[in-house]
Amino acid sequence: MKEKHKRAFMEAAFAFARSSVGERLKVGAVIVKDTTIIAHGYNGKPRALDGPLEDENNVTLPEVRHAEKNALMRLIRLNESAVGATMFLTHSPCFFCSIDIVDAGISKVYYCTSYRCSDGIEHLERNGVPVYQLDIDDQYK
């Protein structure tokens, strides 16, 4: 994949992240196959639920789905496969999202900002999914 496409997909992940109503953190994900975006997601609540993502102490509510999970759920609704696709994330994945990424058959992950722990990246790498950090200009974040 060309470098200019990688940057464009990362910029798209940040654009989708801005759709989140999260106060503490806005996270975006884009799934790409053959240089085409096949799904996107951002941290938010499932379709049937509404409201803020954090409680009064600014702690993320348990029903909030991470951007990765929302993007993968979109693929299910579209009857599309993630096998062999590349995922672009504004933030590196948590451990639980990395389990879903591996199970979905994502072949490569790019992220911009590191999550507070590296368990997710380590799980991806242990399971043969290459992970790359890709920084972009602040104007797109």
Side-chain angles (χ1 to χ4, degrees), residues 21 42-56 59-67 69-70 73:
V21 298
Y42 50 87
N43 56 321
K45 289 187 175 179
R47 286 181 168 198
L49 302 176
D50 203 9
L53 305 189
E54 299 89 5
D55 65 16
E56 62 278 352
V59 175
T60 301
L61 296 169
E63 64 269 23
V64 171
R65 282 192 185 144
H66 290 187
K69 182 72 163 190
N70 273 329
M73 293 298 292

Side-chain angles (χ1 to χ4, degrees), residues 10-129:
M10 186 62 74
E11 291 166 13
F14 274 97
F16 286 113
R18 288 190 290 275
S19 297
S20 173
V21 298
E23 294 291 328
R24 190 171 53 82
L25 186 63
K26 295 177 184 291
V27 180
V30 171
I31 301 175
V32 175
K33 207 182 249 190
D34 301 323
T35 66
T36 300
I37 295 174
I38 60 171
H40 67 276
Y42 50 87
N43 56 321
K45 289 187 175 179
R47 286 181 168 198
L49 302 176
D50 203 9
L53 305 189
E54 299 89 5
D55 65 16
E56 62 278 352
N57 297 315
N58 207 28
V59 175
T60 301
L61 296 169
E63 64 269 23
V64 171
R65 282 192 185 144
H66 290 187
E68 302 91 330
K69 182 72 163 190
N70 273 329
L72 291 169
M73 293 298 292
R74 187 173 305 276
L75 283 182
I76 291 169
R77 289 190 301 274
L78 296 172
N79 202 27
E80 178 69 58
S81 171
V83 174
T86 301
M87 185 176 272
F88 290 85
L89 303 168
T90 59
H91 295 74
S92 58
C94 71
F95 178 71
F96 294 107
C97 285
S98 70
I99 291 170
D100 291 339
I101 291 168
V102 170
D103 285 350
I106 297 286
S107 65
K108 197 179 298 181
V109 172
Y110 289 89
Y111 72 94
C112 186
T113 305
S114 294
Y115 185 61
R116 63 180 173 250
C117 66
S118 60
D119 294 354
I121 291 172
E122 292 166 8
H123 180 76
L124 292 171
E125 290 175 339
R126 271 194 313 272
N127 286 277
V129 179

